[in-house]
Amino acid sequence: MMLLASAGGYRVPVIAQLVQADEDTVRDVIHRFNEMGLACLDPQWAGGRPRLLSPDDEDFVIKTAITRPTKLGQPFTRWSIRKLAAYLRKVHDRVVRIGREALRRLLTRRGVTFQRTKIWKESPDPDRHTKLDRIEEVLERFPDRVFAFDEFGPLGIRPTAGSGWAPLATPSGTPIYAIMDNLSAHKGEKIRSWARKHRVELCFTPTYASWANPIEAHFGPLRQFTIANSNHPNHTVQTRALHAYLRWRNTNARHPDILSAQRRERARIRSEKGLRWGGRPLTEAA
């Protein structure tokens, strides 16, 4: 429009008023047309914020992302975006500062995606093949006379867990509160006697309301980052891995990102159930 108006004999102030632009902008466009012709209508803009990561840095990020965290001394079996970004900022011999969204885009651009894996153990039974062949044979020859048995469980009927944190410690002499479910082992006389002696109040969750216990919200991440993708040879090794993750988790308990995630989870649980912690509907509580 600027060029057409100029070709029609309009002066710069009139053109600027017509297209609602600054007069200097109109002059720049006309001068560029005089210099470049119609190529000025398709400018090749460049610039923007300079790259913070070199190609070598990006290769390092990708190599770290596809390496199991346990091999790098971290107490979990897979990366999340937050954990990976935090680790890259703390590597001793090389520090890579990258935000979570930029990290997610980099992984996508380089073809690294989140994938679920399956693990299994081969049977050490010396008669494995004989037994497998027999099972296959009876399934094919006598399907109407085959019954399969196994034990599945234990099963628990309960709503989706809630989210929150319990107090870590209290000043000396003040009572401590322990939230727990109604398992019979939690209500024994030895437990109650110890609680009275140490000024610990036992707060039991209502029946079918285990979601009210804040600890429930942390079982999911514990399974995702320590039990999933693992193949521990025995319970001792598994317990050590759990303890290592819990030490890492407690060290980062007050991280802003983690606190923000907790608030979102609490809001989600409460909005879905429409409940306060006391069990009253929000409309009635108001």
Side-chain angles (χ1 to χ4, degrees):
M1 291 180 64
M2 293 179 188
L3 296 176
L4 290 174
S6 177
Y10 292 95
R11 300 182 62 83
V12 169
V14 177
I15 299 175
Q17 190 174 25
L18 176 65
V19 299
Q20 295 294 305
D22 187 76
E23 293 183 11
D24 290 338
T25 302
V26 176
R27 293 188 180 93
D28 289 341
V29 172
I30 294 174
H31 293 164
R32 285 177 59 83
F33 175 75
N34 294 334
E35 295 174 359
M36 304 172 56
L38 292 178
C40 73
L41 299 179
D42 185 24
Q44 301 297 319
W45 300 109
R49 185 176 180 180
R51 289 171 56 91
L52 299 180
L53 296 182
S54 66
D56 191 43
D57 290 332
E58 291 187 355
D59 292 340
F60 177 74
V61 171
I62 299 302
K63 181 180 178 181
T64 304
I66 61 178
T67 301
R68 287 178 66 90
T70 51
K71 292 185 178 181
L72 300 175
Q74 301 303 299
F76 28 84
T77 57
R78 71 167 177 86
W79 297 111
S80 66
I81 293 294
R82 180 182 288 110
K83 287 181 173 61
L84 179 57
Y87 174 78
L88 292 171
R89 290 193 295 267
K90 296 180 180 179
V91 181
H92 298 296
D93 57 343
R94 183 172 191 166
V95 177
V96 177
R97 299 187 181 278
I98 183 173
R100 285 178 293 174
E101 186 58 31
L103 176 57
R104 185 180 289 106
R105 291 198 302 268
L106 171 61
L107 294 175
T108 301
R109 188 173 71 251
R110 297 290 292 270
V112 178
T113 59
F114 183 79
Q115 303 175 20
R116 296 190 179 277
T117 58
K118 293 183 179 180
I119 60 174
W120 63 88
K121 293 182 178 179
E122 293 291 345
S123 172
D125 192 332
D127 299 325
R128 178 184 58 178
H129 296 295
T130 301
K131 293 178 179 179
L132 291 176
D133 291 341
R134 182 56 178 167
I135 292 174
E136 184 176 357
E137 179 185 5
V138 298
L139 287 174
E140 290 183 355
R141 295 183 58 189
F142 316 109
D144 56 339
R145 289 188 282 135
V146 176
F147 299 87
F149 294 91
D150 198 0
E151 293 75 33
F152 181 70
L155 298 177
I157 302 177
R158 57 184 181 181
T160 303
S163 177
W165 284 98
L168 294 178
T170 59
S172 177
T174 57
I176 295 176
Y177 306 94
I179 302 175
M180 59 185 69
D181 60 27
N182 293 276
L183 183 67
S184 59
H186 296 164
K187 297 183 176 182
E189 182 54 35
K190 290 185 178 180
I191 297 293
R192 293 181 179 272
S193 176
W194 178 90
R196 288 191 296 267
K197 179 180 179 181
H198 295 87
R199 300 196 65 186
V200 175
E201 179 181 339
L202 304 179
C203 303
F204 296 102
T205 59
T207 305
Y208 305 133
S210 59
W211 55 267
N213 192 338
I215 194 61
E216 293 283 341
H218 303 287
F219 289 157
L222 192 66
R223 294 189 186 96
Q224 293 178 27
F225 295 107
T226 59
I227 298 177
N229 297 341
S230 67
N231 185 16
H232 303 298
N234 53 59
H235 285 89
T236 301
V237 176
Q238 185 182 53
T239 301
R240 290 173 182 169
L242 292 172
H243 287 174
Y245 174 81
L246 291 175
R247 286 193 295 270
W248 176 90
R249 183 64 181 79
N250 292 336
T251 302
N252 295 273
R254 307 303 300 175
H255 192 282
D257 290 341
I258 294 177
L259 295 178
S260 176
Q262 292 173 199
R263 287 192 294 268
R264 289 195 302 271
E265 180 66 12
R266 283 197 295 268
R268 183 185 69 81
I269 293 296
R270 294 184 183 183
S271 65
E272 287 181 356
K273 295 183 176 298
L275 298 176
R276 298 170 61 91
W277 283 117
R280 296 169 293 168
L282 293 176
T283 53
E284 295 180 7

